[in-house]
Amino acid sequence: MNLAYIPSPSHGVLYLGPIPLRGYAFCIIIGVFVAVWLGNKRWIARGGQSGTVADIAVWAVPFGLVGGRLYHVITDYELYFSEGRDWVDAFKVWEGGLGIWGAIALGALGAWIGARRRGVPMPAYADAVAPGIAFAQAIGRWGNWFNQELYGRETHLPWALHITSAEGGRVPGYYHPTFLYESLWCVGVGLLVIWADRRFKLGHGRAFALYVAAYCVGRGWIEYMRVDDAHHILGLRLNDWTALLVFLLAVVYMVVSAKKRPGREAVVEPGVSGGPAETAEAGTDADAVADADDTGAEGDAGAGADAGGEEKATPAEKS
């Protein structure tokens, strides 16, 4: 028996009268709010308009949820369509089961639609929301803790996760908390993207590509530790192969993009004033006007003094 461990919640849902409050759903919702809030701050800092990120997220989030669920159902179809299973369960998103690969792919499609409607470049928008998405994933992973799912191999480490549920083929015991490992990794990925973006002025989608590549590295070794059922190809889980392929695509994109379109977008939202460059120019113009006013005032004052001196001297000379 482990003397120290991470306990699992006895229930993943609380009831407010007849209304169920599910921990998994709360984690997803909080993650979305964090991603939109941080994305909005980064978008404004790039010269965009407040509210644009949220407007596009109205398209991206539903598409992402559908994509994440589709990926999970397709890759684990036997959980819903094999003998003795109820296919209606495929629609019960609150019970867990969102594939990040499908969420990002279809969420990007939704974001592209929203970006076109707003007339903003999709790569710039992706760069702005990239670290927020990583933090949203970090928060969302705690939904797996509420559902007692997606844990790793057995362990006696002091941070082992204590699984108490025997539903769905679970075996109560102490396991690696892979949900926690991925949550912490995603926090690190978000911080990495923020630092790299400030240090190297990443643009044209490269900040988003860095997020994707860094996440895939962590997902690879975390996925290898998991013990839940999964399809295997050449000894590796399907998600490991997906992570490897997506990592290579992200790295290639960063390299090619840096050569073809170096630097960062000068304008991220056409027709919006008040960006960093325009603010600096406005400040320079204001200083120039102020200097001109000061010079003119000094000149007028000097002329007035001379004129006043001459007028006072005239009567004295006449006397």
Side-chain angles (χ1 to χ4, degrees):
M1 178 177 179
N2 287 30
L3 297 178
Y5 57 87
I6 300 173
S8 291
S10 57
H11 301 285
V13 56
L14 297 175
Y15 287 89
L16 184 63
I19 303 175
L21 305 176
R22 302 182 184 278
Y24 187 89
F26 269 112
C27 291
I28 298 298
I29 293 171
I30 294 171
V32 169
F33 273 108
V34 169
V36 172
W37 171 78
L38 180 58
N40 185 62
K41 289 178 66 68
R42 287 171 52 81
W43 185 253
I44 293 173
R46 289 283 304 275
Q49 183 178 1
S50 178
T52 297
V53 169
D55 289 344
I56 297 177
V58 169
W59 289 86
V61 172
F63 272 71
L65 291 175
V66 173
R69 189 60 176 178
L70 280 175
Y71 181 89
H72 167 72
V73 172
I74 291 173
T75 56
D76 290 307
Y77 62 89
E78 66 278 358
L79 297 177
Y80 308 99
F81 302 106
S82 59
E83 186 177 355
R85 300 284 185 171
D86 187 356
W87 63 271
V88 176
D89 292 340
F91 297 95
K92 298 179 180 179
V93 180
W94 56 87
E95 293 184 355
L98 290 175
I100 184 60
W101 313 115
I104 292 296
L106 216 56
L109 174 60
W112 178 78
I113 295 173
R116 281 184 61 86
R117 290 171 61 89
R118 289 290 300 227
V120 303
M122 178 62 185
Y125 177 82
D127 285 341
V129 300
I133 294 176
F135 294 141
Q137 287 179 252
I139 297 170
R141 272 306 175 199
W142 284 86
N144 302 132
W145 176 68
F146 280 102
N147 287 353
Q148 295 199 37
E149 60 185 359
L150 303 187
Y151 44 85
R153 297 187 292 269
E154 285 192 281
T155 182
H156 296 289
L157 292 169
W159 56 83
L161 175 66
H162 187 201
I163 296 297
T164 58
S165 174
E167 297 180 2
R170 299 182 183 89
V171 178
Y174 300 89
Y175 301 90
H176 277 285
T178 51
F179 85 90
L180 177 60
Y181 297 161
E182 186 167 340
S183 179
L184 294 175
W185 183 269
C186 287
V187 171
V189 170
L191 295 175
L192 171 65
V193 174
I194 291 175
W195 170 82
D197 196 24
R198 290 176 178 175
R199 175 66 176 81
F200 302 106
K201 304 298 181 184
L202 300 177
H204 302 286
R206 288 189 288 276
F208 185 81
L210 175 61
Y211 144 71
V212 172
Y215 171 75
C216 288
V217 172
R219 182 60 184 265
W221 67 266
I222 293 170
E223 188 75 23
Y224 185 75
M225 298 180 66
R226 284 169 49 173
V227 295
D228 53 302
D229 293 333
H231 296 286
H232 287 73
I233 302 175
L234 299 178
L236 287 179
R237 294 165 66 97
L238 175 61
N239 282 333
D240 276 321
W241 286 108
T242 305
L244 177 60
L245 175 62
V246 175
F247 169 80
L248 293 175
L249 291 175
V251 171
V252 169
Y253 178 87
M254 283 192 289
V255 173
V256 174
S257 175
K259 290 183 177 180
K260 289 188 173 182
R261 307 186 71 181
R264 176 184 281 181
E265 298 91 340
V267 177
V268 297
E269 192 163 358
V272 177
S273 61
E278 293 186 15
T279 302
E281 292 175 1
T284 302
D285 294 341
D287 291 342
V289 171
D291 290 342
D293 290 343
D294 291 342
T295 303
E298 291 175 359
D300 293 342
D306 292 342
E310 291 176 357
E311 290 175 359
K312 292 179 181 179
T314 302
E317 290 173 356
K318 289 182 178 179
S319 64

